[in-house]
Amino acid sequence: MTILDIAVVLGQALLVTNESTGQKTECRVVSVRLVTDGKYVVAFEFIAPNANFWKMTFPVKGTKPLRRMVAARVAL
């Protein structure tokens, strides 16, 4: 999902660029919603399978989240 200044229509093709890598891929608009400031919230889907376009990693399904230790506060 992204916010655009210009109107798009359902089914329209977009060329999406990953600004970190410069990689580009074609997507299709699947949802458009006008927001109050005249901008559009747009959801899109990849046309060709691209498993790691955003270069993100996710934990394996079923993995328990790590718990961070918080230093205990001691009242004197």
Side-chain angles (χ1 to χ4, degrees):
M1 195 172 326
T2 192
I3 298 176
L4 299 177
D5 294 327
I6 59 170
V8 294
V9 296
L10 289 177
Q12 181 175 343
L14 300 176
L15 186 62
V16 177
T17 303
N18 180 331
E19 292 181 348
S20 296
T21 64
Q23 182 180 1
K24 297 178 183 183
T25 193
E26 195 173 3
C27 295
R28 179 180 308 114
V29 175
V30 295
S31 174
V32 181
R33 183 172 38 105
L34 178 64
V35 288
T36 56
D37 60 357
K39 297 183 187 236
Y40 299 87
V41 176
V42 178
F44 53 87
E45 66 183 2
F46 294 110
I47 292 174
N50 194 334
N52 201 12
F53 177 76
W54 300 116
K55 307 299 183 216
M56 297 174 69
T57 57
F58 297 92
V60 176
K61 186 177 181 178
T63 303
K64 294 184 180 181
L66 296 175
R67 294 186 180 251
R68 295 183 181 190
M69 298 296 291
V70 178
R73 295 183 185 202
V74 179
L76 298 176

